[in-house]
Amino acid sequence: MPFDPRSYTHESDRATLAALQAIPGFPAVCKAFMSVWNERQDRILNMSSRIRISEDQLGRYYRMLPPVCEQLGIPVPDLFLEMNVNPNAYTSGDTNPYIVLTSGLLDQVEEELIPTVLAHECSHIACHHVLYLTMGRTILNGAGIALSMTRNGGLLTVPLRVAFYYWMRSSEFSADRGAVLCDGSPDNMQAVCMRLAGFGKGIRDTGDIETFMRQAEDYQQMVSSSKWDRTLEYMILSGASHPLMAVRALECQKWADSPRFLQALQGLPPETDGGSSLARVKTDTIDFLRQQGKRLTDTIQGAGQKNQDPFVLLAEYEKLMEAGKMTREEFEAKRRELIYGK
């Protein structure tokens, strides 16, 4: 019997998605995105510029996929290999989602951990994350569509950017949980986090997961005991689509140690409280996002850049630097002024 995605969806995933959808302007962003994005274009790019992994092409990797899909109760998606030195995997699409592995991932991560990576990506599909993740990657990563949305009507407001990135990071926790369920333990997912943090399979020394987990605990203690460190963490994450690797590894352990993990592993129906917890977390999340949006807006206005999007301004400053009209030092000063207000 496949795992029920409701049993492993992270609480912050549900809450931040509800908060994102409640922000004024989000429906307009969705409409604008769907008016210019075409899933068929992705299909053309995949078939023309990447290697389709199948029984007859890199079959060893393809055969890792169907068992994972069976565990999660989803159809087997298309799988592609992309020439990219950055170790990564991602899921995209809408009606026909697909998974892409990069060549850098296969160079960095042992073969026995690839099923865990695939389980993570398939969990995104099972949790119905794919369309919003595709939208987020397209409009938040400096694509032309993002600038168009910002300049034509100000659709991509600061609160929407903050909320979108926040939800994308939260969705990764759900996908990590799905991978931990498929493996039956957090060990492999933690090992993947360690590999992506820098310990590649080509390093001629021994890596220790327990030591990495102690590092994660030390990090959590560091940021939880210092308001300034929490502020710095927020600034690091303000434009990040993924949580920090040590945090992800620690979240996997907490999930595996929880009663909900055992219930999900045994196929028991997820517990519910009638939505009261979600409503409470949603309210807290909306309040948090409103505060962060105001904080960024105040920072911009304090820098004399009223009603201008900081991401667009940074892009313009970067162009000036590349054209030789602004020095690196001047650019960094402008960046600090926009983000930190000083």
Side-chain angles (χ1 to χ4, degrees):
M1 181 178 177
F3 296 123
D4 186 335
R6 294 174 301 171
S7 69
Y8 57 86
T9 299
H10 197 278
E11 299 77 14
S12 66
D13 180 354
R14 289 193 294 266
T16 53
L17 179 59
L20 173 63
Q21 292 169 333
I23 292 179
F26 182 71
V29 168
C30 293
K31 183 178 180 180
F33 172 77
M34 295 305 294
S35 70
V36 297
W37 178 75
N38 190 319
E39 187 176 18
R40 193 69 182 172
Q41 290 177 326
D42 284 0
R43 177 72 176 173
I44 291 172
L45 179 62
N46 285 334
M47 295 298 289
S48 64
S49 304
R50 299 178 178 124
I51 296 175
R52 182 169 61 184
I53 300 175
S54 65
E55 280 281 6
D56 301 320
Q57 184 77 276
L58 301 171
R60 186 167 67 254
Y61 293 106
Y62 179 80
R63 287 187 287 274
M64 299 174 181
L65 185 58
V68 169
C69 295
E70 184 176 356
Q71 285 180 288
L72 295 170
I74 63 170
V76 179
D78 285 338
L79 182 62
F80 294 91
L81 177 65
E82 175 183 281
M83 173 60 75
N84 188 332
V85 296
N86 294 316
N88 192 22
Y90 60 91
T91 304
S92 195
D94 181 17
T95 56
N96 295 297
Y98 60 88
I99 297 172
V100 176
L101 307 177
T102 68
S103 54
L105 178 79
L106 303 187
D107 288 338
Q108 182 83 351
V109 176
E110 292 94 334
E111 186 175 309
E112 57 266 28
L113 295 178
I114 298 301
T116 301
V117 174
L118 292 173
H120 171 95
E121 298 304 327
C122 287
S123 295
H124 278 309
I125 298 174
C127 291
H128 304 288
H129 291 157
V130 182
L131 178 59
Y132 280 176
L133 286 176
T134 302
M135 188 187 309
R137 281 192 295 265
T138 303
I139 67 178
L140 295 175
N141 290 347
I145 184 175
L147 296 180
S148 175
M149 286 183 176
T150 301
R151 291 168 179 165
N152 298 329
L155 295 182
L156 276 181
T157 61
V158 170
L160 266 177
R161 286 182 181 274
V162 172
F164 223 133
Y165 275 124
Y166 195 168
W167 171 74
M168 291 175 76
R169 292 194 298 273
S170 298
S171 74
E172 297 300 324
F173 291 133
S174 296
D176 286 347
R177 284 182 171 188
V180 171
L181 267 180
C182 289
D183 286 333
S185 84
D187 297 349
N188 282 357
M189 194 61 228
Q190 290 170 339
V192 170
C193 290
M194 188 172 171
R195 297 301 183 274
L196 296 180
F199 184 70
K201 65 182 182 182
I203 293 179
R204 296 175 179 271
D205 206 339
T206 302
D208 183 70
I209 295 294
E210 291 184 4
T211 302
F212 182 60
M213 295 307 299
R214 286 197 296 272
Q215 173 187 328
E217 292 169 356
D218 289 344
Y219 169 77
Q220 189 172 64
Q221 175 64 28
M222 180 180 75
V223 296
S224 63
S225 61
S226 167
K227 185 176 180 180
W228 175 239
D229 283 342
R230 286 197 300 274
T231 301
L232 293 176
E233 181 190 48
Y234 165 73
M235 298 312 305
I236 291 171
L237 291 172
S238 61
S241 61
H242 285 65
L244 305 173
M245 286 299 168
V247 175
R248 289 176 64 178
L250 198 57
E251 280 291 319
C252 288
Q253 189 62 56
K254 291 178 181 178
W255 163 238
D257 291 339
S258 71
R260 286 186 58 198
F261 173 71
L262 292 177
Q263 292 169 357
L265 200 59
Q266 294 167 5
L268 300 177
E271 294 180 353
T272 177
D273 58 4
S276 59
S277 294
L278 175 59
R280 183 175 62 254
V281 177
K282 175 185 172 182
T283 300
D284 292 343
T285 304
I286 292 175
D287 289 343
F288 170 79
L289 293 174
R290 186 180 292 116
Q291 292 168 7
Q292 299 307 321
K294 183 178 185 302
R295 176 178 174 183
L296 286 176
T297 301
D298 290 345
T299 297
I300 297 163
Q301 292 176 349
Q305 305 289 353
K306 187 174 182 179
N307 295 328
Q308 293 201 56
D309 188 295
F311 295 89
V312 173
L313 286 169
L314 282 176
E316 291 175 353
Y317 291 151
E318 190 168 9
K319 288 179 181 178
L320 289 174
M321 182 181 66
E322 292 173 351
K325 298 179 180 179
M326 178 182 288
T327 66
R328 166 65 69 176
E329 290 74 19
E330 290 171 334
F331 171 78
E332 289 298 330
K334 288 288 188 182
R335 185 183 69 84
R336 287 193 298 270
E337 186 178 34
L338 279 175
I339 296 177
Y340 298 102
K342 60 182 181 179

